Amino acid sequence: MRNHTVVTEYILLGIPETEGLETVLFSLFSSLYLCTVLGNMLILLAIISSSRLHTPMYFFLANLSVFDLGFSSTTAPKMLSYLSGLSQGISFQGCATQLFFYHFLGCTECFLYTVMAYDRFVAICFPLRYMVIMNHRVCTILATGTWMGGCIHAIILTSLTFQLSYCGSNKVSYYFCDIPAILPLACGDTSLAQRVGFTNVGLLSLICFFLILVSYTRIGIAISKIRSAEGRKRAFSTCSAHVTAILCAYGPVIIIYLQPNPSALLGAIIQILNNHVTPMLNPLIYSLRNQAVKSALRNAFPKRSFTLRKN
């Protein structure tokens, strides 16, 4: 029998191969996080304040903004804390919480993009029945289902990961608590957690991506049948923002989980793109070419003109 010290705290070692760049990284990530918070808060404000945006499309966009706020906040505050020179330690419970919310929101993202693709499919292929099919009850059920599905997924992965014994090293070779970084520190057999984690994350991503692909294949066929160029352009513009957001979100996920032996630095860069850059870009993607959102923002922040009155 050997004596083991039970791990009660982990030390996050940060982004691989970035020693000495803490000040630069702090400036970069604090700017990204600030833009993410401000951008998504503005999108939420525009949707809530404008009755024109109380439609299924913008209801799901509001859910996406809430997701982006939560997803970036899962890892950014702690990372900014230790980049600024504070403690790199995170409690065992804090590490489990971070892993849970990371996978909860990551899975919710997959489901939410799939639901948004279905919404665009109904809008393009069944425009006259759109408000009947995507009624308030259906939208509420779909949105609730995405968040509940993500929660169940995260509970499974978190329980499998942290039911193992951790009694060795407490140094996490990464900038946040994720399954590939935590499992090597376990004392017991990690094969079940590794298999379930890889299967769940990979399978759910592939299923959602396949459903999105089917939706957009049908949308493409429907757009090709529109005779007027103006009609095709208008139909395409309603989907272009969502397609761009999907490419930004799924690109990093596919590269991370389908590469056999990715380098630590490349994996970190790709995951940073997914965790911090994509949530910042989504408000820009959905607002730059969307006149309704820009109009709602202008109405939410009206220009005040001050005139001098002559006495």
Side-chain angles (χ1 to χ4, degrees), residues 15 21-23 25-26 29 78-86:
I15 302 169
L21 299 174
E22 288 79 9
T23 303
L25 292 176
F26 176 80
F29 290 123
K78 182 59 185 177
M79 180 172 63
L80 292 174
S81 173
Y82 64 70
L83 286 176
S84 66
L86 299 178

Coordinates of all heavy atoms in Angstrom, one line a residue, residues 15 21-23 25-26 29 78-86:
I15 N -1.4 28.4 -21.6 CA -1.3 28.1 -23.0 C 0.1 27.5 -23.3 O 1.1 28.2 -22.9 CB -1.6 29.3 -23.9 CG1 -3.0 29.8 -23.6 CG2 -1.5 28.9 -25.4 CD1 -3.3 31.2 -24.2
L21 N 5.0 35.7 -22.4 CA 4.0 36.5 -23.2 C 2.8 36.8 -22.4 O 1.8 37.2 -23.0 CB 3.7 35.7 -24.5 CG 4.8 35.4 -25.4 CD1 4.3 34.5 -26.6 CD2 5.5 36.6 -26.0
E22 N 2.8 36.7 -21.1 CA 1.6 36.9 -20.3 C 1.0 38.3 -20.5 O -0.2 38.4 -20.6 CB 1.9 36.7 -18.8 CG 2.2 35.3 -18.4 CD 3.6 34.8 -18.8 OE1 4.4 35.6 -19.2 OE2 3.9 33.6 -18.6
T23 N 1.8 39.3 -20.5 CA 1.3 40.7 -20.7 C 0.6 40.9 -22.0 O -0.5 41.5 -22.1 CB 2.4 41.7 -20.5 OG1 3.1 41.6 -19.3 CG2 1.8 43.1 -20.6
L25 N -0.7 38.5 -23.9 CA -1.9 37.7 -24.0 C -3.0 38.3 -23.1 O -4.1 38.2 -23.5 CB -1.5 36.2 -23.5 CG -0.6 35.4 -24.4 CD1 -0.3 34.1 -23.7 CD2 -1.2 35.2 -25.7
F26 N -2.6 38.9 -22.0 CA -3.6 39.5 -21.2 C -4.3 40.6 -21.9 O -5.6 40.7 -21.9 CB -3.0 40.0 -19.9 CG -4.0 40.8 -19.0 CD1 -4.9 40.1 -18.2 CD2 -4.1 42.2 -19.0 CE1 -5.8 40.8 -17.4 CE2 -5.0 42.8 -18.2 CZ -5.8 42.1 -17.4
F29 N -6.6 38.9 -24.8 CA -7.8 38.2 -24.4 C -8.7 39.1 -23.6 O -9.9 38.9 -23.7 CB -7.4 37.0 -23.6 CG -6.7 35.9 -24.4 CD1 -5.5 35.4 -24.0 CD2 -7.4 35.4 -25.5 CE1 -4.9 34.5 -24.8 CE2 -6.8 34.4 -26.3 CZ -5.5 33.9 -25.9
K78 N -10.9 33.3 -15.5 CA -9.8 32.6 -14.8 C -8.5 32.8 -15.6 O -7.4 33.0 -15.0 CB -10.1 31.1 -14.6 CG -9.1 30.3 -13.9 CD -8.8 30.9 -12.5 CE -7.7 30.2 -11.7 NZ -7.5 30.8 -10.4
M79 N -8.6 32.7 -16.9 CA -7.4 32.8 -17.7 C -6.8 34.3 -17.5 O -5.6 34.4 -17.4 CB -7.7 32.5 -19.2 CG -6.5 32.7 -20.1 SD -6.8 32.1 -21.8 CE -8.0 33.3 -22.3
L80 N -7.7 35.3 -17.6 CA -7.2 36.6 -17.4 C -6.7 36.9 -16.0 O -5.8 37.7 -15.8 CB -8.4 37.6 -17.7 CG -8.9 37.7 -19.1 CD1 -10.1 38.5 -19.2 CD2 -7.8 38.2 -20.0
S81 N -7.2 36.1 -15.0 CA -6.8 36.3 -13.7 C -5.3 35.8 -13.5 O -4.5 36.6 -13.0 CB -7.6 35.4 -12.7 OG -7.1 35.4 -11.4
Y82 N -5.0 34.7 -14.0 CA -3.6 34.2 -13.8 C -2.6 34.9 -14.8 O -1.4 35.0 -14.6 CB -3.4 32.7 -13.9 CG -3.8 32.0 -15.1 CD1 -3.0 32.1 -16.3 CD2 -4.9 31.1 -15.2 CE1 -3.3 31.3 -17.4 CE2 -5.2 30.4 -16.3 CZ -4.4 30.5 -17.4 OH -4.7 29.8 -18.5
L83 N -3.1 35.4 -16.0 CA -2.3 36.1 -16.9 C -1.9 37.5 -16.3 O -0.8 38.0 -16.6 CB -3.0 36.3 -18.2 CG -3.1 35.1 -19.2 CD1 -3.9 35.5 -20.4 CD2 -1.7 34.6 -19.6
S84 N -2.7 38.0 -15.4 CA -2.5 39.3 -14.8 C -1.5 39.1 -13.6 O -1.1 40.1 -12.9 CB -3.8 39.9 -14.3 OG -4.4 39.2 -13.3
G85 N -1.1 37.9 -13.3 CA -0.2 37.7 -12.2 C -0.8 37.1 -10.9 O 0.0 36.8 -10.0
L86 N -2.1 36.8 -10.9 CA -2.7 36.2 -9.7 C -2.5 34.7 -9.8 O -1.8 34.1 -10.7 CB -4.2 36.6 -9.7 CG -4.5 38.0 -9.6 CD1 -6.0 38.3 -9.6 CD2 -3.9 38.7 -8.4

